[in-house]
């Protein structure tokens, strides 16, 4: 443990020639290119607005860390010096500034902090030519609501100065206590608290018995934040052989990779499990550790099915042995979990995309588990999705049931039926073309009702709107839905998480009951719907793309 003497900082007011007009946060904070965040005063402007709007800054405690991408250390230094200028009493920082998003959520709650600043662009590429991001979490450990991010944005549009102190950079290599003027900086082991939480939720002895037997597994950290966490848990505590955690050292550019755990960007892992015979279980997490992909021997688990399986088997984990209060899914996520919830006799909520919408339900005790089709699942243990938590949950189920991932999926479909599901992403589409496609399709929706689509009849078509059952707030414009008479549906959304052009996401879902064919390839099972939406929305014609960038 190191300790440095208090510095005597000099406080400055830095004037801006003009305010920035492009700092409106999306669903996961402010994401821009690394180069844009390196523009003079750009980062400082946004952080100034955050400190002006965030409640409790004067005399409060803040959690700070990121996924280790390029720009992480510089941003931490700036935020610490600005925090001191704004009167923070303490900032808790992880060693090397590397802290996963779920671990940050846990620390905020454990330390009763006013909130946290998480430096990440999640699954977006990193490095000087990649992306950077700043996300603010509230005192409950979850993403701040739209009212907060809107207020921050409004502040940035009129900002004429920011406050910062001049002080030496705080060393982050080892745990220790330091000071910047009256503000204490506590550098901690960012892995320790999170691992202790996981040990409270799951039966590590039982999982270890599985792993130490004939159960070879591969975990791909994608050179992102979960490497140190996975090594300590999977190899250190559970007994997986050394090397089971691949790409486990966080790198500023993620090894020149794209830290998005799906079949396209984690293709090396996918090939090991889907084509090879050496491993029984595989998993990957994204840049900041909140997303996960689950694989078995010759078996891919789509995230919608994963949420349903966790719900159906929840009581095998000690933390959920008493049952679930309810579950929730984002609107684009398949209704697989709805069927499970109905059989269990618990409520199932459908929310807009964005983890903050689950926060109210979790805080009110209405749900225990929640998830999104974008490879994110979580529970009431934190207020973020949690990739490594999901991996451990799957291992807990496998340790209890002692069968393969493929057998678990087959048994699940035989009991509940199968929701054939796929998402087609068209990335980096010219913004005008993407919005033109979307606006045209939205205008067509009222006239689709009663019409034929993919051999079915359209029973409903709308732009999804959500009324929060806790605070009654209304969120509209959340995605175009084409609902078919047999329960199938197509959803089209424009994504807000990219930084280059726009991403069009097309979600396709078709339910087959237990008496139907449960063993089709999803792309074949959904082929007529894929052709239908491509023709209706003129996707190829308007994007210039013959095939999606990513299919999951």
């Amino acid at each position: 443990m190191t300790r440095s003497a208090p510095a005597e900082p000099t406080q400055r007011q830095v004037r801006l020639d003009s305010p920035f007009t492009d700092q409106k946060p999306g669903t996961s904070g402010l994401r821009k290119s690394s180069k844009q965040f390196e523009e003079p005063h750009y980062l400082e402007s946004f952080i100034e607005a955050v400190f002006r709007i965030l409640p409790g800054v004067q005399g409060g405690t803040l959690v700070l860390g990121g996924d280790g991408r390029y720009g992480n250390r510089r941003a931490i230094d700036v935020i610490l010096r600005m925090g001191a200028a704004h009167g923070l009493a303490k900032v808790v920082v992880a060693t090397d500034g590397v802290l996963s998003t779920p671990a940050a959520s846990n620390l905020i709650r454990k330390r009763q902090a006013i909130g946290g600043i998480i430096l990440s662009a999640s699954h977006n590429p990193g490095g000087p030519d990649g992306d950077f991001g700043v996300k603010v979490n509230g005192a409950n450990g979850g993403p701040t609501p739209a009212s907060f991010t809107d207020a921050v944005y409004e502040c940035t549009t009129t900002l004429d100065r920011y406050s910062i102190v001049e002080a030496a950079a705080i060393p982050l290599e080892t745990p220790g206590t330091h000071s910047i003027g009256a503000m204490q900086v506590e550098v901690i082991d960012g892995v320790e608290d999170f691992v202790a939480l996981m040990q409270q939720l799951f039966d590590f002895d039982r999982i270890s018995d599985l792993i130490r037997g004939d159960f070879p597994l591969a975990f791909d950290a994608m050179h992102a934040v979960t490497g140190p966490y996975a090594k300590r848990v999977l190899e250190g505590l559970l007994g997986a052989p050394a090397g089971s955690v691949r790409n486990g050292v966080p790198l500023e550019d993620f090894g020149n990779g794209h830290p998005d755990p799906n079949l396209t960007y984690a293709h090396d892992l996918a090939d090991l499990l889907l084509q090879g015979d050496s491993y029984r279980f595989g998993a990957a997490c994204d840049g900041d550790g909140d997303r996960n992909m689950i694989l078995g021997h010759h078996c891919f688990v789509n995230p919608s099915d994963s949420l349903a399986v966790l719900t159906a088997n929840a009581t095998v984990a000690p933390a959920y042995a008493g049952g679930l209060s309810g579950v929730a899914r984002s609107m684009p996520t398949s209704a697989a979990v709805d069927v499970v919830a109905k059989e269990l006799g618990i409520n199932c909520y459908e929310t807009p995309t964005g983890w903050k919408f689950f926060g109210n339900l979790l805080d009110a005790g209405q749900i225990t588990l929640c998830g999104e089709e974008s490879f994110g699942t979580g529970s009431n243990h934190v207020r973020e999705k949690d990739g490594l938590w999901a991996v451990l949950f799957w291992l807990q189920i496998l340790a209890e049931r002692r069968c393969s991932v493929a057998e678990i999926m087959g048994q699940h479909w035989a009991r509940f039926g199968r929701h054939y599901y796929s998402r087609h992403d068209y990335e980096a589409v010219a913004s005008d073309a993407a919005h033109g496609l979307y606006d045209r399709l939205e205008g067509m929706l009222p006239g689709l009702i009663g019409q034929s689509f993919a051999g079915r009849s359209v029973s409903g078509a709308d732009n999804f709107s959500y009324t929060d059952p806790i605070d009654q707030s209304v969120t509209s414009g959340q995605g175009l839905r084409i609902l078919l008479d047999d329960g199938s549906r197509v959803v089209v959304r424009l994504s807000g998480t990219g930084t280059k052009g726009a991403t069009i996401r097309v979600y396709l879902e078709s339910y087959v009951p237990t008496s139907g064919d449960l063993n089709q390839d999803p792309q074949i099972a959904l082929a007529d719907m894929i052709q239908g939406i491509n023709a209706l929305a003129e996707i190829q014609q308007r994007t210039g793309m013959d095939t999606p960038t990513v299919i999951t």
Side-chain angles (χ1 to χ4, degrees), residues 11 53 112 130 217 251 266 307 361 430 452 477 482 494 532 538 549 552:
Q11 184 153 334
I53 303 301
Q112 297 183 314
L217 64 84
L251 299 176
L307 175 62
L361 295 168
S452 177
I482 300 173
L494 290 181
E538 300 179 349
T549 313
T552 51

Side-chain angles (χ1 to χ4, degrees), residues 79-419:
I79 294 167
L80 287 175
R81 293 188 290 120
M82 292 186 70
H86 282 269
L88 279 170
K90 177 187 280 191
V91 179
V92 180
V93 192
T95 49
D96 296 319
V98 175
L99 186 67
S100 78
T101 290
S105 180
N106 178 49
L107 275 176
I108 292 168
R109 296 167 65 80
K110 184 175 180 179
R111 295 298 191 99
Q112 297 183 314
I114 61 169
I117 295 178
I118 300 172
L119 304 168
S120 174
S122 187
H123 53 292
N124 292 15
D129 296 319
D131 296 333
F132 192 77
V134 180
K135 187 177 78 161
V136 182
N137 281 31
N140 74 337
T144 47
S147 57
F148 175 85
T149 53
D150 288 347
V152 168
Y153 171 62
E154 289 301 318
C155 184
T156 63
T157 62
T158 59
L159 204 63
D160 64 353
R161 69 189 70 196
Y162 62 86
S163 299
I164 192 168
V165 302
E166 295 300 324
I170 296 295
L172 302 179
E173 291 73 23
T174 57
T177 303
H178 312 272
S179 295
I180 300 178
M183 186 184 79
Q184 184 183 81
V185 179
E186 183 183 355
V187 182
I188 67 166
D189 179 334
V191 177
E192 196 170 86
D193 290 281
F194 178 82
V195 171
L197 176 61
M198 294 300 104
Q199 289 175 300
Q200 295 171 20
L201 301 177
F202 301 110
D203 185 341
F204 271 41
D205 289 338
R206 193 161 183 84
I207 298 174
S208 180
D209 285 344
L210 172 73
I211 290 177
R212 292 178 190 274
D214 183 21
F215 192 81
L217 64 84
F219 178 90
D220 191 347
M222 307 190 82
H223 286 303
V225 75
T226 55
Y229 296 84
K231 283 185 177 180
R232 192 172 303 184
V233 172
L234 297 177
E235 296 181 3
L237 294 173
L238 295 175
S244 296
V245 176
R246 296 163 173 261
N247 303 317
V249 177
L251 299 176
E252 287 192 338
D253 64 352
F254 306 116
N256 201 31
H258 191 147
D260 196 354
N262 58 43
L263 296 175
T264 298
Y265 296 123
H267 57 84
D268 289 344
L269 179 73
D271 288 347
L272 286 177
L273 272 296
L274 302 183
Q275 299 179 22
D277 295 312
S278 299
Y279 296 94
R280 294 188 61 188
F281 181 79
C285 289
D286 71 330
D288 65 329
D290 61 359
R291 299 180 186 222
N292 73 92
M293 178 172 69
I294 302 297
L295 298 160
H297 180 234
H298 294 184
C299 178
F300 164 69
V301 181
N302 83 52
S304 297
D305 278 346
S306 181
L307 175 62
V309 168
L310 296 185
T311 300
N313 294 274
T315 55
V316 305
Y320 314 106
L324 308 177
S325 60
V327 294
R329 62 170 175 84
S330 65
M331 179 273 288
T333 303
S334 92
V337 74
D338 301 45
V339 178
V340 177
K342 184 177 181 180
E343 180 166 317
L344 295 179
I346 59 176
N347 287 333
C348 182
Y349 298 88
E350 182 182 37
T351 74
T353 295
W355 210 258
K356 58 192 173 186
F357 294 102
F358 295 138
N360 277 357
L361 295 168
L362 289 164
D363 287 345
Q366 296 300 302
I367 62 171
T368 307
L369 300 186
C370 44
E372 297 182 334
E373 51 69 39
S374 55
F375 294 84
T377 39
S379 85
N380 58 357
H381 70 289
V382 290
R383 293 298 181 268
E384 289 279 4
K385 47 186 175 278
D386 189 342
L388 195 53
W389 166 89
V391 173
L392 289 170
F393 209 148
W394 265 94
L395 289 172
Q396 183 81 76
I397 294 169
L398 291 165
E400 180 68 28
R401 296 183 56 177
R402 298 287 171 160
C403 62
S404 70
V405 173
E407 287 170 329
I408 286 177
M409 295 313 307
Q411 293 165 13
H412 184 87
W413 295 329
R415 178 181 175 187
F416 297 105
R418 183 173 182 181
H419 290 255

Side-chain angles (χ1 to χ4, degrees), residues 437-481:
L437 181 155
Y438 191 87
D439 293 345
R440 172 182 173 271
L441 182 59
E442 183 173 13
M444 296 172 67
L445 293 181
L448 293 179
I449 298 174
Q451 299 297 310
S452 177
F453 180 90
R456 305 159 174 87
S457 177
V458 177
S459 59
D462 63 12
N463 195 332
F464 180 65
S465 180
Y466 174 71
T467 299
D468 191 298
I470 308 303
D471 63 16
Q472 303 306 309
S473 61
V474 177
T475 305
S476 57
Q478 292 300 297
L480 311 181
R481 302 190 300 174

